[in-house]
Amino acid sequence: MGDIHDIDFFDLTVGSESDAEFIPLITAEEEENMNKQKFPEDLPILPLRNNVLFPGVVIPITVGRDKSIKLIQEANKGNKIIGVVSQKNQEEESPEFSDLHQIGTVAQIVRLLKMPDGSSTVIIQGKRRFELVQPTQTEPYMRAKVKLLKEKSFDKKSKEMNMMIKTIKDLALQIIRDSPNIPSEASFAIGNIDSPTFLVNFISSNMNADVSKKQEMLEELDMEKRVIKVLEHLNLEIQMLEMRNEIQSKVRKDMDRQQREYFLQQQMRTIQDELGDNPQEQDVHDLSDRAIVKKWDERVSKLFYKELDKLQRMNPQGAEYNVQLNYLDLVLDLPWGEYSKDNLDLNRAKKILERDHYGLEKVKERILEYLAVLKLKGNMKSPILCFYGPPGVGKTSLGKSIAEALGRKYIRMSLGGLHDESEIRGHRKTYIGAMPGRIMQNIKKAGISNPVFVLDEIDKLGRSNHGDPSSALLEVLDPEQNNAFYDNYVETEFDLSRVMFVATANNLAEVQGPLRDRMEIIEVNGYTIEEKIEIAKRHLLPKQIEEHGISKKEISIDKIVLEKLVMEYTNESGVRSLSKMIAKLVRNRARQIAMEESFDTKIKKEDLFTILGAGRGRTKYENNEVAGVVTGLAWTSVGGDILFIESSITKGKGKLTLTGNLGDVMKESAVIALEFLKAHSSWLNLDQEVFDKHNVHIHVPEGATPKDGPSAGITMLTSLASLFTQKRVKANLAMTGEITLRGEVLPVGGIKEKILAAKRAGIKEIILCEKNKNDIEEIKQEYLNGLTFHFVHHMHEVLEIALTKENVKNPIEVK
């Protein structure tokens, strides 16, 4: 088996999607229909040089002779039926009728392909055996009268016959398995043939035999005799294949492994002698020279020279030699005891921090405190700072500013999505492809042992079956332990105590408790509108102007335009979206300059709509004409915002319904508010039975946005009180605070962002818990102008302030 044309065709038909319809297999039912098919008695005759076509089999033929090309082209335009006969002499260029075998196969053209070299390849499928009777045409190609031959049928129930056919299939599969030149996919083709006749034809067509042997198979009309001939040939081929494999195996075993290694080593020595120095000796010499200048202690020195001795004893051609060489290179590249000198000019550091970051006063103060202690003491274990806050407020860039202020190298390592502990601690060098952890890789890259090392997005660490990287960081971020950090690849302790680690996080709740405990948490709050405007003027606009290749004279944006840009086109605590919006304005100006259009240097308010489209606007306080609608203050991941708590009442049995995509804590606040109101109905001069006769529905608008937290407790209680009494809520009033079943008001977080959101919305008065007074005192007075604060302890104080004695328009009678 294994004629090269048929193997190529097998690959084409089975492995290519574009020709997937040319499957070289037919079922028994298709074969029966093919035998009943009518064919013309006069056929164009296509001579084959070195192949034989069998019924049912599909083969490709490269057509090169002029007569054959003409025949194929005309037949392809017509009924696509031709006669295919093998030549007696393969060297004959223009065979006559007498040069052809008498028995051939009726074939159907399946597809005609044009090849890149200009030749044509025709894919044909055999149909029926025929016998040539006499020629009817010689030019431009041969035609002949043919007689279709009927094959002698066999007893399909014969056990002997079935056993021989099964043996043929098994032998064919064995040949495919043992022969290296036949694709294994051929076994699938043979395994899927269910017709005995087609199986014999398919194997006869593809077996490793010359044309005369295949022609003999074609001319045999007795199926039983044909099966025996195929069986004999396959047995002979099996024997030849086994003999060839046995000889090859014997030759391989005769080559002694030690002799081969000796021969190769002698060659290597000869080559080394010709080149001069021995590469292994040169490697050892270079490593020793580099080790002399290292500032390491006795422990590391002893480890290095021990590993260097091990390298000298290794075979340079061995796989472990390069592993050992790479390890020693790393040990030499690590900055053992090498530190950069800190610049402790605090005034310079302050100027750098002020230059790079507007606002963030507490953060800057803490950094200057660290520098002050370092200046006075001269040396200290570096603290682990963790800046946490919303995206885009400058947490990562703070680390860069600290490095510049100190005069240290800056390293940033992103932890987002890291889920393999070995990324932190490294792999043991016995593993293939082992590497040190990313901590040691970055220390090596910095070249000093006291860089500023930013661990970005520490809250995004993952966990998998490869370990928990956040647990591996416990040793790194503990000032009491990281003076002896152990990396699996380095295999000895490295001092990280002089490294200043700065972590950043968006959500502290996602950081593992022990890890959070090892860091000093510094909150980086979102920016106010005024701060964003200043940041845009000082940093964002000049940066975008530089990046887009225009000059400062060609664009200017007034403060009032920036304020509109911040309030109506961005909704975030940081300034990333603001930077993108400014970039759009600058790009638009760059386009105008490049296209030589006329323009006004100043960007006006109306230009924002033209360039950026419609802004989303800000949520504003509406009115107090409807009972049960109260303004609350909320904190979101992008800063503060106001929200409206709405409630309505209907006749029913005291059912409470909550909508607005509320979390469990917020739902509990609503239940507590209603129960408290029931328990203290006398405060509002309400009958207890009112609550049992009405259903209450509380809704928080913008239902697509998830909401949770206890901050809306007093807001919900005020909403329900207004609903049942039908009294107006005080105009331009907002509130935030948690409540208890006893009616106490508890403090909540995010006060600064909430206050700024209230001011933007036009709120004049705010109700807060008494314990939130300290939060107000930390906010600059300029941000509090125009606001009145009511600090309360109990819910009855809230209701006294919030509810007026005036009924709403069109009040509902609640009985």
Side-chain angles (χ1 to χ4, degrees), residues 76-103:
N76 192 49
K77 294 177 183 177
N79 61 4
K80 302 182 185 297
I81 301 299
I82 61 173
V84 178
V85 185
S86 297
Q87 298 177 196
K88 294 177 182 177
N89 182 7
Q90 297 179 17
E91 305 299 325
E92 186 64 41
E93 185 63 31
S94 181
E96 302 294 335
F97 186 82
S98 59
D99 296 326
L100 304 177
H101 288 287
Q102 293 300 301
I103 305 299

mmCIF file of all heavy atoms in Angstrom, residues 76-103:
data_model
loop_
_atom_site.group_PDB
_atom_site.id
_atom_site.type_symbol
_atom_site.label_atom_id
_atom_site.label_comp_id
_atom_site.label_asym_id
_atom_site.label_seq_id
_atom_site.Cartn_x
_atom_site.Cartn_y
_atom_site.Cartn_z
ATOM 1 N N ASN A 76 -16.015 17.120 -19.304
ATOM 2 C CA ASN A 76 -16.455 17.904 -18.146
ATOM 3 C C ASN A 76 -17.610 18.817 -18.508
ATOM 4 O O ASN A 76 -18.456 19.137 -17.667
ATOM 5 C CB ASN A 76 -15.269 18.710 -17.602
ATOM 6 C CG ASN A 76 -15.571 19.304 -16.245
ATOM 7 O OD1 ASN A 76 -16.046 18.614 -15.344
ATOM 8 N ND2 ASN A 76 -15.316 20.596 -16.076
ATOM 9 N N LYS A 77 -17.660 19.272 -19.756
ATOM 10 C CA LYS A 77 -18.772 20.109 -20.193
ATOM 11 C C LYS A 77 -20.025 19.280 -20.472
ATOM 12 O O LYS A 77 -21.128 19.786 -20.462
ATOM 13 C CB LYS A 77 -18.388 20.879 -21.449
ATOM 14 C CG LYS A 77 -17.277 21.914 -21.224
ATOM 15 C CD LYS A 77 -16.896 22.578 -22.522
ATOM 16 C CE LYS A 77 -15.746 23.559 -22.323
ATOM 17 N NZ LYS A 77 -15.315 24.163 -23.613
ATOM 18 N N GLY A 78 -19.827 17.973 -20.764
ATOM 19 C CA GLY A 78 -20.948 17.100 -21.112
ATOM 20 C C GLY A 78 -21.446 16.302 -19.922
ATOM 21 O O GLY A 78 -21.655 16.842 -18.830
ATOM 22 N N ASN A 79 -21.566 14.973 -20.112
ATOM 23 C CA ASN A 79 -22.138 14.126 -19.062
ATOM 24 C C ASN A 79 -21.123 13.666 -18.031
ATOM 25 O O ASN A 79 -21.457 12.933 -17.112
ATOM 26 C CB ASN A 79 -22.813 12.903 -19.689
ATOM 27 C CG ASN A 79 -21.818 12.035 -20.478
ATOM 28 O OD1 ASN A 79 -20.606 12.312 -20.503
ATOM 29 N ND2 ASN A 79 -22.320 11.014 -21.137
ATOM 30 N N LYS A 80 -19.815 14.082 -18.222
ATOM 31 C CA LYS A 80 -18.732 13.801 -17.265
ATOM 32 C C LYS A 80 -18.405 12.316 -17.151
ATOM 33 O O LYS A 80 -17.736 11.891 -16.228
ATOM 34 C CB LYS A 80 -19.043 14.365 -15.865
ATOM 35 C CG LYS A 80 -19.299 15.861 -15.810
ATOM 36 C CD LYS A 80 -19.538 16.338 -14.383
ATOM 37 C CE LYS A 80 -19.909 17.793 -14.314
ATOM 38 N NZ LYS A 80 -18.850 18.686 -14.800
ATOM 39 N N ILE A 81 -18.882 11.473 -18.099
ATOM 40 C CA ILE A 81 -18.615 10.032 -18.075
ATOM 41 C C ILE A 81 -17.521 9.722 -19.076
ATOM 42 O O ILE A 81 -17.611 10.107 -20.249
ATOM 43 C CB ILE A 81 -19.894 9.228 -18.392
ATOM 44 C CG1 ILE A 81 -20.994 9.555 -17.365
ATOM 45 C CG2 ILE A 81 -19.589 7.732 -18.384
ATOM 46 C CD1 ILE A 81 -20.655 9.212 -15.946
ATOM 47 N N ILE A 82 -16.469 9.016 -18.651
ATOM 48 C CA ILE A 82 -15.352 8.623 -19.517
ATOM 49 C C ILE A 82 -14.991 7.179 -19.214
ATOM 50 O O ILE A 82 -15.427 6.599 -18.212
ATOM 51 C CB ILE A 82 -14.129 9.531 -19.313
ATOM 52 C CG1 ILE A 82 -13.624 9.438 -17.859
ATOM 53 C CG2 ILE A 82 -14.451 10.978 -19.665
ATOM 54 C CD1 ILE A 82 -12.314 10.188 -17.626
ATOM 55 N N GLY A 83 -14.159 6.603 -20.095
ATOM 56 C CA GLY A 83 -13.588 5.284 -19.839
ATOM 57 C C GLY A 83 -12.122 5.417 -19.497
ATOM 58 O O GLY A 83 -11.394 6.156 -20.169
ATOM 59 N N VAL A 84 -11.662 4.741 -18.471
ATOM 60 C CA VAL A 84 -10.272 4.838 -18.009
ATOM 61 C C VAL A 84 -9.623 3.462 -18.131
ATOM 62 O O VAL A 84 -10.134 2.477 -17.577
ATOM 63 C CB VAL A 84 -10.208 5.341 -16.549
ATOM 64 C CG1 VAL A 84 -8.762 5.387 -16.082
ATOM 65 C CG2 VAL A 84 -10.834 6.717 -16.433
ATOM 66 N N VAL A 85 -8.492 3.409 -18.895
ATOM 67 C CA VAL A 85 -7.798 2.137 -19.149
ATOM 68 C C VAL A 85 -6.314 2.359 -18.931
ATOM 69 O O VAL A 85 -5.773 3.398 -19.330
ATOM 70 C CB VAL A 85 -8.056 1.628 -20.574
ATOM 71 C CG1 VAL A 85 -7.419 0.250 -20.769
ATOM 72 C CG2 VAL A 85 -9.533 1.567 -20.877
ATOM 73 N N SER A 86 -5.610 1.393 -18.338
ATOM 74 C CA SER A 86 -4.175 1.501 -18.099
ATOM 75 C C SER A 86 -3.405 1.087 -19.353
ATOM 76 O O SER A 86 -3.816 0.192 -20.096
ATOM 77 C CB SER A 86 -3.750 0.616 -16.934
ATOM 78 O OG SER A 86 -4.368 1.041 -15.751
ATOM 79 N N GLN A 87 -2.258 1.765 -19.573
ATOM 80 C CA GLN A 87 -1.379 1.428 -20.692
ATOM 81 C C GLN A 87 -0.572 0.166 -20.383
ATOM 82 O O GLN A 87 -0.212 -0.066 -19.232
ATOM 83 C CB GLN A 87 -0.405 2.584 -20.979
ATOM 84 C CG GLN A 87 -1.066 3.874 -21.393
ATOM 85 C CD GLN A 87 -0.060 5.002 -21.591
ATOM 86 O OE1 GLN A 87 -0.444 6.131 -21.632
ATOM 87 N NE2 GLN A 87 1.225 4.688 -21.723
ATOM 88 N N LYS A 88 -0.262 -0.593 -21.407
ATOM 89 C CA LYS A 88 0.614 -1.754 -21.210
ATOM 90 C C LYS A 88 2.049 -1.294 -21.000
ATOM 91 O O LYS A 88 2.775 -1.844 -20.187
ATOM 92 C CB LYS A 88 0.522 -2.679 -22.428
ATOM 93 C CG LYS A 88 -0.847 -3.322 -22.613
ATOM 94 C CD LYS A 88 -0.883 -4.170 -23.861
ATOM 95 C CE LYS A 88 -2.270 -4.789 -24.076
ATOM 96 N NZ LYS A 88 -2.332 -5.565 -25.343
ATOM 97 N N ASN A 89 2.460 -0.277 -21.766
ATOM 98 C CA ASN A 89 3.802 0.282 -21.655
ATOM 99 C C ASN A 89 3.678 1.703 -21.115
ATOM 100 O O ASN A 89 3.125 2.590 -21.771
ATOM 101 C CB ASN A 89 4.485 0.284 -23.016
ATOM 102 C CG ASN A 89 5.919 0.825 -22.937
ATOM 103 O OD1 ASN A 89 6.433 1.074 -21.843
ATOM 104 N ND2 ASN A 89 6.548 1.009 -24.099
ATOM 105 N N GLN A 90 4.230 1.916 -19.920
ATOM 106 C CA GLN A 90 4.079 3.221 -19.282
ATOM 107 C C GLN A 90 4.863 4.315 -19.994
ATOM 108 O O GLN A 90 4.558 5.496 -19.843
ATOM 109 C CB GLN A 90 4.539 3.135 -17.815
ATOM 110 C CG GLN A 90 3.711 2.188 -16.972
ATOM 111 C CD GLN A 90 4.202 2.110 -15.533
ATOM 112 O OE1 GLN A 90 4.948 2.969 -15.098
ATOM 113 N NE2 GLN A 90 3.781 1.060 -14.839
ATOM 114 N N GLU A 91 5.886 3.956 -20.783
ATOM 115 C CA GLU A 91 6.720 4.945 -21.467
ATOM 116 C C GLU A 91 6.090 5.460 -22.754
ATOM 117 O O GLU A 91 6.560 6.440 -23.327
ATOM 118 C CB GLU A 91 8.104 4.348 -21.780
ATOM 119 C CG GLU A 91 8.832 3.798 -20.568
ATOM 120 C CD GLU A 91 9.089 4.870 -19.536
ATOM 121 O OE1 GLU A 91 9.337 6.033 -19.956
ATOM 122 O OE2 GLU A 91 9.008 4.569 -18.337
ATOM 123 N N GLU A 92 5.041 4.802 -23.224
ATOM 124 C CA GLU A 92 4.413 5.174 -24.485
ATOM 125 C C GLU A 92 3.737 6.536 -24.336
ATOM 126 O O GLU A 92 2.857 6.721 -23.500
ATOM 127 C CB GLU A 92 3.384 4.110 -24.893
ATOM 128 C CG GLU A 92 2.768 4.335 -26.256
ATOM 129 C CD GLU A 92 3.778 4.248 -27.390
ATOM 130 O OE1 GLU A 92 4.645 3.358 -27.340
ATOM 131 O OE2 GLU A 92 3.728 5.121 -28.280
ATOM 132 N N GLU A 93 4.172 7.537 -25.154
ATOM 133 C CA GLU A 93 3.655 8.885 -25.050
ATOM 134 C C GLU A 93 2.295 9.047 -25.700
ATOM 135 O O GLU A 93 1.420 9.750 -25.201
ATOM 136 C CB GLU A 93 4.656 9.873 -25.664
ATOM 137 C CG GLU A 93 4.287 11.331 -25.511
ATOM 138 C CD GLU A 93 4.226 11.784 -24.057
ATOM 139 O OE1 GLU A 93 4.977 11.242 -23.226
ATOM 140 O OE2 GLU A 93 3.387 12.671 -23.759
ATOM 141 N N SER A 94 2.092 8.362 -26.860
ATOM 142 C CA SER A 94 0.817 8.478 -27.575
ATOM 143 C C SER A 94 0.301 7.064 -27.881
ATOM 144 O O SER A 94 0.465 6.539 -28.978
ATOM 145 C CB SER A 94 1.016 9.279 -28.867
ATOM 146 O OG SER A 94 -0.206 9.435 -29.562
ATOM 147 N N PRO A 95 -0.319 6.417 -26.889
ATOM 148 C CA PRO A 95 -0.712 5.007 -27.054
ATOM 149 C C PRO A 95 -1.852 4.826 -28.080
ATOM 150 O O PRO A 95 -2.745 5.675 -28.176
ATOM 151 C CB PRO A 95 -1.158 4.607 -25.651
ATOM 152 C CG PRO A 95 -1.576 5.892 -25.016
ATOM 153 C CD PRO A 95 -0.700 6.955 -25.588
ATOM 154 N N GLU A 96 -1.725 3.695 -28.855
ATOM 155 C CA GLU A 96 -2.812 3.318 -29.770
ATOM 156 C C GLU A 96 -3.776 2.387 -29.040
ATOM 157 O O GLU A 96 -3.569 2.043 -27.873
ATOM 158 C CB GLU A 96 -2.229 2.619 -31.002
ATOM 159 C CG GLU A 96 -1.224 3.441 -31.785
ATOM 160 C CD GLU A 96 -1.870 4.657 -32.437
ATOM 161 O OE1 GLU A 96 -3.104 4.613 -32.695
ATOM 162 O OE2 GLU A 96 -1.165 5.663 -32.654
ATOM 163 N N PHE A 97 -4.824 1.924 -29.754
ATOM 164 C CA PHE A 97 -5.818 1.029 -29.164
ATOM 165 C C PHE A 97 -5.178 -0.265 -28.689
ATOM 166 O O PHE A 97 -5.512 -0.803 -27.638
ATOM 167 C CB PHE A 97 -6.916 0.760 -30.203
ATOM 168 C CG PHE A 97 -8.074 -0.039 -29.668
ATOM 169 C CD1 PHE A 97 -9.077 0.588 -28.964
ATOM 170 C CD2 PHE A 97 -8.147 -1.428 -29.844
ATOM 171 C CE1 PHE A 97 -10.144 -0.125 -28.454
ATOM 172 C CE2 PHE A 97 -9.204 -2.136 -29.327
ATOM 173 C CZ PHE A 97 -10.213 -1.494 -28.630
ATOM 174 N N SER A 98 -4.209 -0.736 -29.477
ATOM 175 C CA SER A 98 -3.563 -2.017 -29.143
ATOM 176 C C SER A 98 -2.614 -1.894 -27.965
ATOM 177 O O SER A 98 -2.191 -2.904 -27.397
ATOM 178 C CB SER A 98 -2.802 -2.539 -30.375
ATOM 179 O OG SER A 98 -1.829 -1.576 -30.777
ATOM 180 N N ASP A 99 -2.240 -0.662 -27.612
ATOM 181 C CA ASP A 99 -1.313 -0.448 -26.488
ATOM 182 C C ASP A 99 -2.016 -0.434 -25.149
ATOM 183 O O ASP A 99 -1.359 -0.246 -24.110
ATOM 184 C CB ASP A 99 -0.559 0.865 -26.674
ATOM 185 C CG ASP A 99 0.323 0.854 -27.909
ATOM 186 O OD1 ASP A 99 0.867 -0.224 -28.237
ATOM 187 O OD2 ASP A 99 0.452 1.933 -28.541
ATOM 188 N N LEU A 100 -3.345 -0.597 -25.162
ATOM 189 C CA LEU A 100 -4.108 -0.513 -23.924
ATOM 190 C C LEU A 100 -4.551 -1.893 -23.467
ATOM 191 O O LEU A 100 -4.757 -2.791 -24.277
ATOM 192 C CB LEU A 100 -5.346 0.377 -24.111
ATOM 193 C CG LEU A 100 -5.112 1.805 -24.604
ATOM 194 C CD1 LEU A 100 -6.452 2.516 -24.803
ATOM 195 C CD2 LEU A 100 -4.247 2.578 -23.619
ATOM 196 N N HIS A 101 -4.682 -2.056 -22.119
ATOM 197 C CA HIS A 101 -5.280 -3.277 -21.592
ATOM 198 C C HIS A 101 -6.741 -3.326 -22.012
ATOM 199 O O HIS A 101 -7.389 -2.286 -22.215
ATOM 200 C CB HIS A 101 -5.182 -3.294 -20.060
ATOM 201 C CG HIS A 101 -3.783 -3.525 -19.558
ATOM 202 N ND1 HIS A 101 -3.166 -4.757 -19.624
ATOM 203 C CD2 HIS A 101 -2.882 -2.681 -18.980
ATOM 204 C CE1 HIS A 101 -1.955 -4.660 -19.103
ATOM 205 N NE2 HIS A 101 -1.751 -3.395 -18.715
ATOM 206 N N GLN A 102 -7.279 -4.514 -22.109
ATOM 207 C CA GLN A 102 -8.645 -4.665 -22.596
ATOM 208 C C GLN A 102 -9.700 -4.346 -21.531
ATOM 209 O O GLN A 102 -10.837 -4.010 -21.855
ATOM 210 C CB GLN A 102 -8.860 -6.107 -23.099
ATOM 211 C CG GLN A 102 -8.039 -6.441 -24.338
ATOM 212 C CD GLN A 102 -8.400 -5.511 -25.505
ATOM 213 O OE1 GLN A 102 -9.541 -5.439 -25.950
ATOM 214 N NE2 GLN A 102 -7.406 -4.754 -25.983
ATOM 215 N N ILE A 103 -9.313 -4.502 -20.284
ATOM 216 C CA ILE A 103 -10.271 -4.266 -19.193
ATOM 217 C C ILE A 103 -9.973 -2.903 -18.562
ATOM 218 O O ILE A 103 -8.849 -2.612 -18.174
ATOM 219 C CB ILE A 103 -10.195 -5.357 -18.113
ATOM 220 C CG1 ILE A 103 -10.391 -6.737 -18.729
ATOM 221 C CG2 ILE A 103 -11.253 -5.095 -17.022
ATOM 222 C CD1 ILE A 103 -11.731 -6.938 -19.402
#
